[in-house]
Amino acid sequence: MTTAETVLLIAASLFVLLAIGTVGFSKPAEWKNPPVGKFLECAGVRLHYIERGDPAAPCVVLFHGNRSMIQDFTTNGLVDLLAQGNHVVCFDRPGFGHSQRPRLRVWTAAAQAALLAKALNQLGVRDPVVLGHS
């Protein structure tokens, strides 16, 4: 076996180990942190979201930042507080929390905004107040 073949074999073996490790660690994490909301299929992407409050009330939409999920807004009480007088919608952004992130797309901020605007339209949300953090 040549040096190049050996290096290629080692690289392929590491890739397989990393793939197995990712699945091995992600499944228990998903079991320990089940989804807290519903799912919506929009433009081929499965999005996780929650809705709280009166659907007839003014709508507040919450978007979390990187390395975050819906629970950042629920555990601190913000969703419950806002839901007292508003319709609250909160999404896990693509690739975060329980929302899917298809790999064959470039997920710029503009692409995510377009997807989430379509999702809000699907839910019938009009003229929301939008709050985001990162």
Side-chain angles (χ1 to χ4, degrees):
M1 186 178 293
T2 67
T3 303
E5 291 172 333
T6 303
V7 170
L8 187 59
L9 180 61
I10 291 170
S13 298
L14 285 173
F15 178 76
V16 169
L17 287 173
L18 286 172
I20 292 169
T22 298
V23 171
F25 286 112
S26 66
K27 290 302 176 190
E30 289 175 17
W31 294 328
K32 289 179 185 177
N33 300 290
V36 295
K38 303 180 247 182
F39 289 92
L40 167 73
E41 185 79 23
C42 182
V45 180
R46 187 172 185 234
L47 294 171
H48 178 234
Y49 73 101
I50 59 170
E51 281 188 277
R52 301 285 189 275
D54 180 5
C59 188
V60 178
V61 177
L62 305 174
F63 293 114
H64 63 72
N66 287 336
R67 299 183 183 150
S68 189
M69 55 196 304
I70 287 174
Q71 284 83 340
D72 278 4
F73 291 123
T74 59
T75 58
N76 67 13
L78 181 61
V79 170
D80 291 335
L81 183 65
L82 287 170
Q84 291 174 11
N86 300 283
H87 175 212
V88 180
V89 179
C90 185
F91 286 94
D92 273 333
R93 290 177 35 224
F96 296 94
H98 292 280
S99 286
Q100 177 188 36
R101 183 181 184 138
R103 299 289 177 211
L104 300 177
R105 293 188 191 180
V106 176
W107 285 107
T108 62
Q112 289 186 48
L115 173 68
L116 294 167
K118 285 181 186 177
L120 288 169
N121 190 45
Q122 247 180 268
L123 292 173
V125 172
R126 304 286 183 265
D127 300 319
V129 171
V130 178
L131 176 131
H133 82 83
S134 187

